[in-house]
Amino acid sequence: MNALQKQRFQLLFISLIGLAVAAALLLYAFRDDMNAYLTPTALHAHAFSREQIITLGGVVKKNSVIRRGLDIDFIVTDFKQEISVHYHGVLPDLFHEGKGVIANGTLTTPRHVEASTILAKHDENYTPVSVQP
């Protein structure tokens, strides 16, 4: 290996290390913003601390929605486990019993979430009301 090849190899090696360090720093910086939602079963399977911020995903259990003004209580299920959710605010138009939902909020007890944001999910067959027959 001549001197020019050795310099190229060293430059490549240093560049790869720099790239790895930069990627690690980016992942560390965004660690709180990267979150996948948990199902009720996954939430029951792991020990999470109280007052921990979580993202809960599942289906709104039929006949579980209780509305009192802007206060809404409902149950999210994955058909194996259930978690009760409390939300204060206006719900999205797609929010319905038996439909998918994602709740961002605080785990207050192992079986209760105080939601700060509710996102309603729709299936792949969604069509806007204006185009439905």
Side-chain angles (χ1 to χ4, degrees):
M1 186 182 293
N2 63 25
L4 183 60
Q5 287 176 329
K6 189 175 181 180
Q7 278 183 329
R8 285 183 183 167
F9 180 73
Q10 287 175 344
L11 181 62
L12 178 65
F13 184 71
I14 291 171
S15 298
L16 287 175
I17 289 177
L19 187 61
V21 168
L25 287 173
L26 278 173
L27 289 174
Y28 181 75
F30 292 124
R31 71 188 180 282
D32 291 334
D33 292 333
M34 295 187 312
N35 58 1
Y37 68 82
L38 299 166
T39 63
T41 300
L43 195 58
H44 285 291
H46 295 78
F48 291 95
S49 61
R50 290 181 67 187
E51 303 302 321
Q52 182 169 348
I53 296 174
I54 63 160
T55 302
L56 174 67
V59 175
V60 179
K61 184 177 178 181
K62 290 193 184 276
N63 302 319
S64 71
V65 178
I66 301 168
R67 298 174 191 254
R68 291 177 308 280
L70 289 179
D71 286 325
I72 298 101
D73 292 299
F74 58 95
I75 295 174
V76 174
T77 183
D78 60 0
F79 305 109
K80 294 177 186 169
Q81 297 284 338
E82 299 176 346
I83 301 285
S84 67
V85 177
H86 175 80
Y87 177 68
H88 179 82
V90 178
L91 290 170
D93 290 338
L94 293 175
F95 180 90
H96 294 290
E97 293 177 349
K99 298 293 183 180
V101 67
I102 296 175
N104 296 315
T106 306
L107 185 65
T108 56
T109 70
R111 295 191 176 265
H112 183 75
V113 172
E114 284 290 326
S116 57
T117 306
I118 298 291
L119 302 172
K121 296 170 54 179
H122 59 78
D123 62 11
E124 65 277 0
N125 300 322
Y126 173 76
T127 55
V129 176
S130 59
V131 248
Q132 287 180 349

